[in-house]
Structure formats: C-alpha cells, structure tokens
Coordinates of all heavy atoms in Angstrom, one line a residue:
M1054 N 39.9 -8.1 -18.3 CA 40.6 -9.2 -17.5 C 40.5 -8.8 -16.0 O 40.6 -7.6 -15.7 CB 42.0 -9.2 -18.0 CG 42.8 -10.3 -17.4 SD 44.3 -10.6 -18.3 CE 45.5 -10.5 -17.1
S1055 N 40.4 -9.7 -15.1 CA 40.4 -9.4 -13.7 C 41.2 -10.5 -13.0 O 41.4 -11.6 -13.5 CB 39.0 -9.3 -13.2 OG 38.4 -10.6 -13.3
E1056 N 41.6 -10.1 -11.8 CA 42.4 -11.0 -11.0 C 42.0 -10.9 -9.5 O 41.5 -9.8 -9.1 CB 43.9 -10.7 -11.1 CG 44.8 -11.7 -10.4 CD 46.3 -11.4 -10.6 OE1 46.6 -10.6 -11.5 OE2 47.1 -12.0 -9.9
T1057 N 42.1 -11.9 -8.7 CA 41.7 -11.8 -7.4 C 43.0 -12.2 -6.5 O 43.6 -13.3 -6.9 CB 40.6 -12.8 -7.0 OG1 39.4 -12.3 -7.8 CG2 40.2 -12.7 -5.5
L1058 N 43.3 -11.4 -5.6 CA 44.5 -11.7 -4.8 C 44.2 -11.5 -3.3 O 43.4 -10.6 -2.9 CB 45.7 -10.7 -5.1 CG 46.2 -10.7 -6.5 CD1 47.1 -9.5 -6.7 CD2 47.0 -12.0 -6.7
P1059 N 44.8 -12.3 -2.4 CA 44.7 -12.1 -1.0 C 45.4 -10.8 -0.6 O 46.4 -10.4 -1.3 CB 45.3 -13.2 -0.3 CG 46.1 -13.9 -1.3 CD 45.6 -13.5 -2.7
I1060 N 45.0 -10.1 0.4 CA 45.6 -8.8 0.8 C 47.1 -8.9 1.1 O 47.8 -8.0 0.8 CB 44.8 -8.2 2.1 CG1 45.2 -6.8 2.2 CG2 45.1 -9.0 3.3 CD1 44.3 -6.1 3.2
T1061 N 47.6 -10.1 1.6 CA 49.0 -10.2 1.9 C 49.8 -10.2 0.6 O 50.9 -9.6 0.5 CB 49.3 -11.5 2.6 OG1 48.7 -12.6 2.0 CG2 48.7 -11.5 4.1
E1062 N 49.3 -10.9 -0.4 CA 50.0 -10.9 -1.7 C 49.9 -9.5 -2.4 O 50.8 -9.0 -3.0 CB 49.4 -11.9 -2.6 CG 50.2 -12.1 -3.9 CD 49.7 -13.3 -4.7 OE1 48.9 -14.1 -4.2 OE2 50.0 -13.3 -6.0
A1063 N 48.7 -8.8 -2.3 CA 48.5 -7.6 -2.9 C 49.4 -6.5 -2.3 O 49.9 -5.6 -3.0 CB 47.0 -7.1 -2.8
R1064 N 49.6 -6.6 -1.0 CA 50.5 -5.7 -0.2 C 51.9 -5.7 -0.8 O 52.5 -4.7 -1.1 CB 50.6 -6.0 1.2 CG 51.3 -5.0 2.0 CD 51.3 -5.3 3.6 NE 50.0 -5.3 4.1 CZ 49.4 -6.3 4.7 NH1 50.1 -7.5 4.9 NH2 48.2 -6.2 5.2
A1065 N 52.4 -6.9 -1.2 CA 53.7 -7.0 -1.7 C 53.8 -6.6 -3.2 O 54.9 -6.2 -3.6 CB 54.2 -8.5 -1.6
K1066 N 52.7 -6.6 -3.9 CA 52.7 -6.2 -5.3 C 52.0 -4.9 -5.6 O 51.6 -4.6 -6.7 CB 52.0 -7.3 -6.1 CG 52.7 -8.6 -6.0 CD 51.9 -9.7 -6.8 CE 52.5 -11.0 -6.9 NZ 51.8 -12.0 -7.7
F1067 N 51.7 -4.1 -4.5 CA 50.9 -2.9 -4.7 C 51.2 -2.1 -5.8 O 50.3 -1.7 -6.7 CB 51.0 -2.1 -3.4 CG 50.1 -0.9 -3.4 CD1 48.7 -1.0 -3.1 CD2 50.6 0.3 -3.6 CE1 47.9 0.0 -3.1 CE2 49.7 1.5 -3.6 CZ 48.4 1.3 -3.4
G1068 N 52.5 -1.7 -6.0 CA 52.8 -0.8 -7.1 C 52.5 -1.3 -8.5 O 51.9 -0.7 -9.4
S1069 N 52.9 -2.6 -8.7 CA 52.6 -3.2 -10.0 C 51.1 -3.4 -10.2 O 50.6 -3.3 -11.4 CB 53.3 -4.6 -10.2 OG 52.8 -5.5 -9.2
L1070 N 50.3 -3.7 -9.2 CA 48.9 -3.8 -9.3 C 48.3 -2.5 -9.7 O 47.4 -2.4 -10.6 CB 48.3 -4.3 -8.0 CG 48.7 -5.7 -7.6 CD1 48.0 -6.0 -6.2 CD2 48.2 -6.8 -8.6
V1071 N 48.7 -1.4 -9.1 CA 48.2 0.0 -9.5 C 48.5 0.2 -10.9 O 47.7 0.7 -11.7 CB 48.8 1.0 -8.5 CG1 48.4 2.4 -9.0 CG2 48.2 0.8 -7.1
R1072 N 49.8 0.0 -11.3 CA 50.2 0.3 -12.7 C 49.3 -0.6 -13.7 O 48.9 -0.1 -14.7 CB 51.7 0.0 -12.9 CG 52.5 1.2 -12.3 CD 54.0 1.1 -12.7 NE 54.6 -0.1 -12.0 CZ 55.0 0.0 -10.7 NH1 54.8 1.1 -10.0 NH2 55.6 -1.1 -10.2
R1073 N 49.1 -1.8 -13.4 CA 48.3 -2.7 -14.2 C 46.9 -2.2 -14.4 O 46.3 -2.2 -15.5 CB 48.3 -4.2 -13.7 CG 49.6 -4.9 -14.0 CD 49.6 -6.2 -13.3 NE 48.4 -7.0 -13.4 CZ 48.1 -8.0 -12.6 NH1 49.0 -8.4 -11.7 NH2 47.1 -8.7 -12.7
T1074 N 46.4 -1.7 -13.2 CA 45.1 -1.2 -13.3 C 45.0 0.1 -14.1 O 44.0 0.3 -14.9 CB 44.5 -0.9 -11.9 OG1 44.6 -2.1 -11.1 CG2 43.1 -0.3 -11.8
A1075 N 46.0 0.9 -14.0 CA 46.0 2.2 -14.7 C 46.2 2.1 -16.2 O 45.6 2.7 -17.0 CB 47.1 3.1 -14.1
H1076 N 47.1 1.1 -16.6 CA 47.5 1.0 -18.0 C 46.7 0.0 -18.8 O 46.5 0.2 -20.0 CB 49.0 0.8 -18.1 CG 49.8 1.9 -17.5 ND1 49.8 3.2 -17.9 CD2 50.6 1.9 -16.4 CE1 50.6 3.9 -17.2 NE2 51.1 3.2 -16.2
A1077 N 46.4 -1.1 -18.1 CA 45.7 -2.2 -18.8 C 44.2 -2.3 -18.6 O 43.5 -3.2 -19.0 CB 46.4 -3.5 -18.4
R1078 N 43.7 -1.3 -17.8 CA 42.3 -1.3 -17.4 C 41.8 -2.7 -16.8 O 40.7 -3.1 -17.0 CB 41.4 -1.0 -18.5 CG 41.7 0.5 -19.0 CD 40.8 0.9 -20.1 NE 39.4 1.0 -19.6 CZ 38.6 2.1 -19.8 NH1 39.0 3.1 -20.5 NH2 37.4 2.1 -19.3
E1079 N 42.8 -3.3 -16.0 CA 42.4 -4.5 -15.3 C 41.7 -4.2 -14.0 O 41.9 -3.1 -13.5 CB 43.7 -5.3 -14.9 CG 44.3 -6.0 -16.0 CD 45.4 -6.9 -15.5 OE1 45.2 -7.8 -14.7 OE2 46.6 -6.7 -15.9
R1080 N 40.8 -5.0 -13.6 CA 40.1 -4.9 -12.3 C 40.8 -6.0 -11.5 O 40.9 -7.1 -11.9 CB 38.6 -5.2 -12.4 CG 37.8 -4.2 -13.1 CD 36.4 -4.5 -12.9 NE 35.6 -3.7 -13.9 CZ 34.3 -3.7 -14.0 NH1 33.6 -4.5 -13.2 NH2 33.7 -2.9 -14.8
I1081 N 41.2 -5.5 -10.3 CA 41.9 -6.5 -9.4 C 41.2 -6.4 -8.1 O 41.0 -5.4 -7.4 CB 43.3 -6.1 -9.3 CG1 44.0 -6.1 -10.6 CG2 44.1 -7.0 -8.2 CD1 45.4 -5.5 -10.6
T1082 N 40.7 -7.6 -7.6 CA 39.9 -7.7 -6.4 C 40.9 -8.1 -5.3 O 41.7 -9.2 -5.5 CB 38.8 -8.7 -6.5 OG1 37.9 -8.3 -7.6 CG2 38.0 -8.9 -5.3
I1083 N 40.9 -7.5 -4.2 CA 41.7 -7.8 -3.0 C 40.8 -8.5 -2.0 O 39.7 -7.9 -1.7 CB 42.3 -6.5 -2.4 CG1 43.0 -5.7 -3.5 CG2 43.3 -6.9 -1.3 CD1 44.1 -6.4 -4.3
T1084 N 41.2 -9.6 -1.5 CA 40.4 -10.3 -0.5 C 41.1 -10.3 0.9 O 42.3 -10.2 1.0 CB 40.2 -11.8 -1.0 OG1 41.5 -12.5 -1.0 CG2 39.5 -11.9 -2.3
D1085 N 40.3 -10.4 1.9 CA 40.7 -10.4 3.2 C 40.0 -11.6 3.9 O 38.7 -11.6 3.9 CB 40.4 -9.2 4.0 CG 41.0 -9.0 5.3 OD1 41.9 -9.8 5.7 OD2 40.6 -8.1 6.1
H1086 N 40.7 -12.6 4.2 CA 40.2 -13.9 4.8 C 39.2 -14.5 3.8 O 38.1 -14.9 4.2 CB 39.5 -13.6 6.2 CG 40.5 -13.1 7.2 ND1 41.5 -13.9 7.7 CD2 40.6 -11.9 7.7 CE1 42.2 -13.2 8.6 NE2 41.7 -12.0 8.6
G1087 N 39.5 -14.4 2.5 CA 38.7 -15.0 1.5 C 37.5 -14.3 1.0 O 36.8 -14.7 0.1
Q1088 N 37.2 -13.1 1.6 CA 36.1 -12.3 1.2 C 36.6 -11.0 0.5 O 37.6 -10.4 0.9 CB 35.3 -11.8 2.5 CG 34.7 -13.0 3.3 CD 33.7 -13.7 2.5 OE1 32.8 -13.2 1.8 NE2 33.8 -15.1 2.6
A1089 N 35.9 -10.7 -0.6 CA 36.3 -9.4 -1.3 C 36.2 -8.3 -0.4 O 35.3 -8.0 0.4 CB 35.4 -9.2 -2.5
A1090 N 37.3 -7.5 -0.4 CA 37.5 -6.3 0.5 C 37.6 -5.0 -0.2 O 37.2 -4.0 0.3 CB 38.6 -6.5 1.5
A1091 N 38.2 -5.1 -1.5 CA 38.5 -3.9 -2.2 C 38.6 -4.3 -3.7 O 39.0 -5.4 -4.0 CB 39.6 -3.1 -1.7
V1092 N 38.5 -3.3 -4.6 CA 38.7 -3.6 -6.0 C 39.5 -2.4 -6.6 O 39.1 -1.2 -6.3 CB 37.3 -3.7 -6.8 CG1 37.6 -3.9 -8.3 CG2 36.5 -4.9 -6.2
F1093 N 40.6 -2.7 -7.3 CA 41.3 -1.7 -8.0 C 40.6 -1.6 -9.3 O 40.4 -2.6 -10.0 CB 42.7 -2.1 -8.2 CG 43.6 -2.1 -6.9 CD1 44.9 -2.5 -7.0 CD2 43.1 -1.6 -5.7 CE1 45.7 -2.5 -5.8 CE2 43.9 -1.7 -4.5 CZ 45.2 -2.1 -4.6
I1094 N 40.3 -0.3 -9.8 CA 39.7 -0.1 -11.1 C 40.3 1.2 -11.6 O 40.6 2.1 -10.9 CB 38.2 0.0 -10.9 CG1 37.5 0.1 -12.3 CG2 37.7 1.1 -10.0 CD1 36.0 -0.1 -12.2
N1095 N 40.4 1.2 -13.0 CA 41.0 2.3 -13.7 C 40.0 3.5 -13.5 O 38.8 3.4 -13.6 CB 41.1 2.0 -15.2 CG 41.6 3.0 -16.0 OD1 40.9 4.0 -16.3 ND2 42.8 2.9 -16.4
P1096 N 40.6 4.7 -13.2 CA 39.7 5.9 -13.0 C 38.8 6.2 -14.1 O 37.6 6.7 -13.9 CB 40.7 7.0 -12.7 CG 42.0 6.3 -12.3 CD 42.0 5.0 -13.0
A1097 N 39.3 6.0 -15.4 CA 38.4 6.3 -16.5 C 37.3 5.3 -16.6 O 36.1 5.7 -16.9 CB 39.2 6.3 -17.8
E1098 N 37.5 4.1 -16.3 CA 36.4 3.1 -16.3 C 35.4 3.5 -15.1 O 34.2 3.3 -15.3 CB 37.0 1.7 -16.0 CG 35.9 0.6 -16.1 CD 36.5 -0.8 -16.0 OE1 37.7 -1.0 -16.0 OE2 35.7 -1.7 -16.0
L1099 N 35.9 3.9 -14.0 CA 35.0 4.3 -12.9 C 34.2 5.5 -13.3 O 32.9 5.5 -13.1 CB 35.8 4.7 -11.7 CG 35.0 5.2 -10.5 CD1 34.0 4.1 -10.0 CD2 36.0 5.6 -9.3
A1100 N 34.7 6.5 -14.0 CA 34.0 7.6 -14.4 C 32.9 7.2 -15.4 O 31.8 7.7 -15.4 CB 35.0 8.6 -15.1
E1101 N 33.2 6.3 -16.3 CA 32.2 5.8 -17.2 C 31.1 5.1 -16.5 O 29.9 5.3 -16.9 CB 32.9 4.8 -18.2 CG 33.8 5.4 -19.2 CD 34.7 4.4 -20.0 OE1 34.4 3.2 -19.8 OE2 35.6 4.8 -20.7
M1102 N 31.4 4.3 -15.5 CA 30.4 3.6 -14.8 C 29.5 4.6 -14.0 O 28.3 4.4 -13.9 CB 31.1 2.6 -13.8 CG 31.7 1.5 -14.5 SD 32.7 0.4 -13.4 CE 31.5 -0.2 -12.3
E1103 N 30.2 5.6 -13.4 CA 29.4 6.6 -12.7 C 28.4 7.4 -13.6 O 27.3 7.7 -13.3 CB 30.3 7.6 -12.0 CG 31.0 7.0 -10.8 CD 32.1 7.9 -10.2 OE1 32.7 8.8 -10.9 OE2 32.4 7.7 -9.0
K1104 N 28.9 7.7 -14.8 CA 28.0 8.3 -15.8 C 26.8 7.5 -16.2 O 25.7 8.0 -16.3 CB 28.9 8.7 -17.1 CG 28.1 9.2 -18.3 CD 27.6 10.6 -18.1 CE 27.0 11.2 -19.3 NZ 25.6 11.1 -19.4
R1105 N 27.1 6.2 -16.5 CA 26.0 5.3 -16.8 C 25.0 5.2 -15.7 O 23.8 5.2 -15.8 CB 26.5 3.9 -17.2 CG 27.2 3.9 -18.5 CD 27.4 2.5 -19.0 NE 28.1 1.6 -18.1 CZ 29.4 1.3 -18.2 NH1 30.2 1.8 -19.1 NH2 30.0 0.5 -17.3
L1106 N 25.5 5.1 -14.4 CA 24.7 5.1 -13.3 C 23.8 6.4 -13.1 O 22.6 6.3 -12.9 CB 25.4 4.9 -12.0 CG 24.6 4.8 -10.7 CD1 23.6 3.7 -10.7 CD2 25.6 4.7 -9.5
A1107 N 24.4 7.5 -13.4 CA 23.7 8.8 -13.3 C 22.6 8.8 -14.4 O 21.5 9.2 -14.1 CB 24.6 10.0 -13.5
D1108 N 22.9 8.3 -15.6 CA 21.9 8.2 -16.7 C 20.7 7.3 -16.3 O 19.6 7.7 -16.5 CB 22.5 7.7 -18.0 CG 23.4 8.8 -18.6 OD1 23.4 9.9 -18.2 OD2 24.3 8.4 -19.5
L1109 N 21.1 6.2 -15.6 CA 20.0 5.3 -15.2 C 19.1 5.9 -14.1 O 17.9 5.7 -14.1 CB 20.6 4.0 -14.7 CG 21.2 3.0 -15.7 CD1 21.9 1.9 -15.1 CD2 20.0 2.5 -16.6
E1110 N 19.8 6.6 -13.2 CA 19.0 7.3 -12.1 C 18.1 8.3 -12.7 O 16.9 8.5 -12.3 CB 19.9 7.9 -11.1 CG 20.6 6.9 -10.3 CD 21.7 7.4 -9.4 OE1 22.3 8.5 -9.6 OE2 22.0 6.8 -8.4
D1111 N 18.5 9.1 -13.7 CA 17.7 10.1 -14.4 C 16.5 9.4 -15.1 O 15.4 9.8 -15.0 CB 18.5 10.9 -15.5 CG 19.5 11.8 -14.8 OD1 19.5 12.1 -13.6 OD2 20.4 12.3 -15.6
D1112 N 16.8 8.3 -15.8 CA 15.7 7.6 -16.5 C 14.7 7.0 -15.5 O 13.5 7.1 -15.7 CB 16.3 6.4 -17.3 CG 17.1 6.8 -18.5 OD1 17.1 8.0 -18.9 OD2 17.9 5.9 -19.0
L1113 N 15.2 6.6 -14.4 CA 14.3 6.1 -13.3 C 13.4 7.2 -12.8 O 12.2 7.0 -12.6 CB 15.0 5.4 -12.2 CG 14.2 4.9 -11.0 CD1 13.2 3.8 -11.5 CD2 15.1 4.3 -10.0
A1114 N 14.0 8.4 -12.5 CA 13.2 9.6 -12.0 C 12.2 9.9 -13.0 O 11.0 10.2 -12.7 CB 14.2 10.7 -11.7
V1115 N 12.5 9.9 -14.3 CA 11.5 10.3 -15.4 C 10.4 9.2 -15.4 O 9.2 9.6 -15.4 CB 12.2 10.4 -16.7 CG1 11.2 10.5 -17.8 CG2 13.1 11.6 -16.8
E1116 N 10.7 8.0 -15.3 CA 9.7 7.0 -15.3 C 8.8 7.0 -14.1 O 7.6 6.8 -14.2 CB 10.3 5.6 -15.5 CG 10.9 5.3 -16.9 CD 9.9 5.6 -18.0 OE1 8.7 5.2 -17.9 OE2 10.3 6.2 -19.0
R1117 N 9.4 7.3 -12.9 CA 8.5 7.5 -11.7 C 7.6 8.7 -11.9 O 6.5 8.6 -11.4 CB 9.5 7.6 -10.5 CG 10.1 6.4 -10.1 CD 11.0 6.6 -8.9 NE 11.4 5.3 -8.3 CZ 12.5 5.2 -7.5 NH1 13.2 6.3 -7.2 NH2 12.9 4.1 -7.2
Y1118 N 8.1 9.8 -12.5 CA 7.3 11.0 -12.7 C 6.1 10.6 -13.6 O 4.9 10.9 -13.3 CB 8.1 12.1 -13.3 CG 7.2 13.2 -13.8 CD1 6.6 14.1 -12.9 CD2 7.0 13.3 -15.1 CE1 5.8 15.1 -13.4 CE2 6.1 14.3 -15.7 CZ 5.6 15.2 -14.7 OH 4.8 16.2 -15.2
R1119 N 6.4 9.9 -14.7 CA 5.4 9.5 -15.7 C 4.3 8.6 -15.0 O 3.2 8.7 -15.3 CB 6.0 8.8 -16.8 CG 6.8 9.7 -17.8 CD 7.4 9.0 -18.9 NE 8.1 9.9 -19.8 CZ 9.0 9.6 -20.7 NH1 9.4 8.3 -20.7 NH2 9.6 10.5 -21.4
A1120 N 4.8 7.7 -14.1 CA 3.9 6.8 -13.4 C 2.9 7.7 -12.5 O 1.7 7.4 -12.4 CB 4.6 5.8 -12.6
R1121 N 3.5 8.6 -11.7 CA 2.7 9.4 -10.9 C 1.7 10.3 -11.7 O 0.6 10.5 -11.3 CB 3.6 10.4 -10.0 CG 4.3 9.7 -8.9 CD 5.0 10.6 -7.9 NE 5.7 11.7 -8.5 CZ 6.9 11.8 -8.9 NH1 7.7 10.6 -8.7 NH2 7.5 12.8 -9.4
K1122 N 2.2 10.8 -12.9 CA 1.3 11.6 -13.7 C 0.2 10.8 -14.2 O -1.0 11.2 -14.2 CB 2.2 12.2 -14.9 CG 1.4 13.1 -15.7 CD 2.3 13.8 -16.8 CE 1.6 14.7 -17.7 NZ 2.4 15.3 -18.7
A1123 N 0.5 9.5 -14.7 CA -0.6 8.6 -15.2 C -1.6 8.3 -14.1 O -2.8 8.1 -14.3 CB 0.1 7.3 -15.8
A1124 N -1.1 8.2 -12.8 CA -2.0 7.9 -11.7 C -2.7 9.1 -11.2 O -3.6 9.0 -10.3 CB -1.1 7.2 -10.6
G1125 N -2.4 10.3 -11.8 CA -3.0 11.5 -11.3 C -2.6 12.0 -10.0 O -3.3 12.8 -9.3
T1126 N -1.3 11.6 -9.6 CA -0.9 12.1 -8.2 C 0.2 13.1 -8.3 O 0.9 13.4 -7.3 CB -0.3 10.9 -7.4 OG1 0.7 10.2 -8.2 CG2 -1.4 9.9 -7.2
V1127 N 0.5 13.7 -9.6 CA 1.5 14.7 -9.7 C 0.9 16.0 -9.2 O -0.2 16.4 -9.6 CB 1.9 14.9 -11.2 CG1 2.8 16.1 -11.3 CG2 2.7 13.6 -11.6
V1128 N 1.6 16.7 -8.3 CA 1.2 18.0 -7.8 C 2.2 19.0 -8.3 O 3.4 18.9 -7.9 CB 1.2 18.0 -6.3 CG1 0.7 19.3 -5.8 CG2 0.1 16.9 -5.8
G1129 N 1.7 19.9 -9.1 CA 2.6 20.9 -9.6 C 2.5 22.3 -8.9 O 1.5 22.5 -8.2
I1130 N 3.4 23.2 -9.2 CA 3.2 24.6 -8.7 C 3.5 25.5 -9.8 O 4.2 25.1 -10.8 CB 4.2 24.9 -7.5 CG1 5.7 24.7 -7.9 CG2 3.9 24.0 -6.3 CD1 6.6 25.2 -6.9
P1131 N 2.9 26.7 -9.8 CA 3.1 27.6 -10.9 C 4.6 28.0 -11.0 O 5.3 28.0 -10.0 CB 2.3 28.8 -10.5 CG 1.3 28.3 -9.5 CD 2.0 27.2 -8.8
Q1132 N 5.1 28.4 -12.2 CA 6.4 28.7 -12.4 C 6.9 29.9 -11.6 O 8.0 29.8 -11.0 CB 6.7 29.1 -13.9 CG 8.1 29.3 -14.2 CD 8.4 29.7 -15.7 OE1 7.5 29.9 -16.4 NE2 9.6 29.7 -16.0
D1133 N 6.0 30.9 -11.4 CA 6.5 32.1 -10.6 C 6.7 31.7 -9.1 O 7.6 32.2 -8.5 CB 5.5 33.2 -10.7 CG 4.1 32.8 -10.3 OD1 3.7 31.6 -10.4 OD2 3.3 33.8 -10.0
E1134 N 5.9 30.7 -8.6 CA 6.1 30.3 -7.3 C 7.3 29.4 -7.1 O 8.1 29.6 -6.2 CB 4.9 29.5 -6.8 CG 5.0 29.0 -5.3 CD 3.8 28.2 -4.9 OE1 2.7 28.3 -5.5 OE2 3.9 27.5 -3.8
A1135 N 7.6 28.6 -8.1 CA 8.9 27.8 -8.1 C 10.1 28.7 -8.1 O 11.0 28.5 -7.4 CB 8.9 26.9 -9.3
R1136 N 10.1 29.8 -9.0 CA 11.2 30.7 -9.0 C 11.4 31.4 -7.7 O 12.5 31.6 -7.2 CB 10.9 31.7 -10.2 CG 11.0 31.1 -11.6 CD 10.9 32.2 -12.7 NE 12.0 33.1 -12.6 CZ 13.2 32.9 -13.1 NH1 13.5 31.7 -13.6 NH2 14.2 33.8 -13.0
A1137 N 10.2 31.8 -7.1 CA 10.3 32.5 -5.7 C 10.9 31.5 -4.8 O 11.8 31.9 -4.0 CB 8.9 32.9 -5.3
R1138 N 10.5 30.3 -4.7 CA 11.0 29.3 -3.8 C 12.6 29.1 -3.9 O 13.3 28.8 -3.0 CB 10.3 27.9 -3.8 CG 8.9 28.0 -3.3 CD 8.4 26.6 -3.4 NE 6.9 26.6 -3.1 CZ 6.2 25.4 -2.9 NH1 6.8 24.3 -3.1 NH2 4.9 25.5 -2.6
L1139 N 13.0 29.2 -5.2 CA 14.4 29.0 -5.5 C 15.2 30.3 -5.4 O 16.4 30.2 -5.7 CB 14.6 28.4 -6.9 CG 14.0 27.0 -7.1 CD1 14.0 26.6 -8.6 CD2 14.8 26.0 -6.3
G1140 N 14.5 31.4 -5.1 CA 15.3 32.6 -5.0 C 15.6 33.2 -6.3 O 16.6 33.9 -6.4
L1141 N 14.9 32.9 -7.3 CA 15.1 33.4 -8.7 C 14.2 34.5 -9.2 O 14.0 34.7 -10.3 CB 15.0 32.2 -9.7 CG 16.0 31.0 -9.4 CD1 15.7 29.9 -10.3 CD2 17.5 31.5 -9.5
D1142 N 13.6 35.1 -8.2 CA 12.6 36.2 -8.5 C 13.3 37.2 -9.3 O 14.4 37.6 -9.0 CB 12.0 36.8 -7.3 CG 10.9 36.0 -6.7 OD1 10.3 35.2 -7.4 OD2 10.7 36.1 -5.5
R1143 N 12.6 37.7 -10.3 CA 13.1 38.9 -11.1 C 12.7 40.1 -10.5 O 11.5 40.3 -10.1 CB 12.6 38.8 -12.5 CG 13.2 37.6 -13.3 CD 12.7 37.6 -14.7 NE 13.1 36.3 -15.3 CZ 12.5 35.7 -16.3 NH1 11.4 36.3 -16.8 NH2 12.9 34.6 -16.7
P1144 N 13.6 41.1 -10.3 CA 13.2 42.4 -9.7 C 12.2 43.2 -10.5 O 12.1 43.1 -11.7 CB 14.5 43.1 -9.5 CG 15.5 42.4 -10.2 CD 15.0 41.1 -10.7

C-alpha cells in the first residue's frame, strides 16, 4: 500500500507516517509543489531492495565478463602477480 502527501500535510503527520512505514511496511511519497521529493520506506524493505540490486549488479558484471571473454578481449594476469599487486605475497 502506498500514499502520496504534500509536504505541508506530511509535516503535520510526521510521527504517524513514520510509524505506519515502520509497522505496516507502507511506502509514503512526500511531494513538494506536486513533484515527488522523498519517500518513506521501511528499513527492512530497503535492505531487501539493496540486496536485490547488489545481486543484479553482480550478475551484470559476470555477463559483461563472459561477453568480453567470448569476444577474446579478456586480459588476465598470473595469480602470483595478482597476489603481489594486492599485497598478499607469502613470505
């Protein structure tokens, strides 16, 4: 469920809007002069969205790597050189 409120109304109802967002997982959009300016969202829902976004970014990186590999443009370095660049040399 979501609701849209102008900033003037949201200001007067701030506490109840925060509680609704926290407990009912509602999304509440705050507008300023008719344009969306902010959205209240439950922190758990935000964390879930951030996790899904990170997973999508990982998938995209893998697909880009596969495309470069298929095109023959992947340039690799030996493992010992990678470890040295990362400061992981074994004594």
Side-chain angles (χ1 to χ4, degrees):
M1054 185 164 129
S1055 67
E1056 183 176 352
T1057 300
L1058 298 168
I1060 196 168
T1061 53
E1062 188 177 341
R1064 186 179 297 123
K1066 298 179 178 182
F1067 183 78
S1069 67
L1070 295 176
V1071 170
R1072 284 188 291 281
R1073 284 171 45 196
T1074 301
H1076 301 294
R1078 293 183 73 130
E1079 283 187 61
R1080 288 187 194 180
I1081 301 171
T1082 302
I1083 310 302
T1084 61
D1085 189 14
H1086 299 290
Q1088 299 296 317
V1092 177
F1093 291 177
I1094 186 170
N1095 181 286
E1098 186 176 354
L1099 177 61
E1101 291 168 8
M1102 292 169 63
E1103 288 173 334
K1104 171 71 171 98
R1105 287 194 308 260
L1106 179 59
D1108 289 345
L1109 287 172
E1110 288 172 339
D1111 290 347
D1112 291 346
L1113 179 59
V1115 168
E1116 290 307 317
R1117 285 180 173 160
Y1118 168 79
R1119 287 179 179 157
R1121 287 192 316 271
K1122 186 175 179 182
T1126 59
V1127 173
V1128 178
I1130 62 171
Q1132 183 179 11
D1133 57 338
E1134 185 178 339
R1136 292 185 62 78
R1138 288 185 188 186
L1139 295 171
L1141 300 173
D1142 280 334
R1143 294 184 187 151

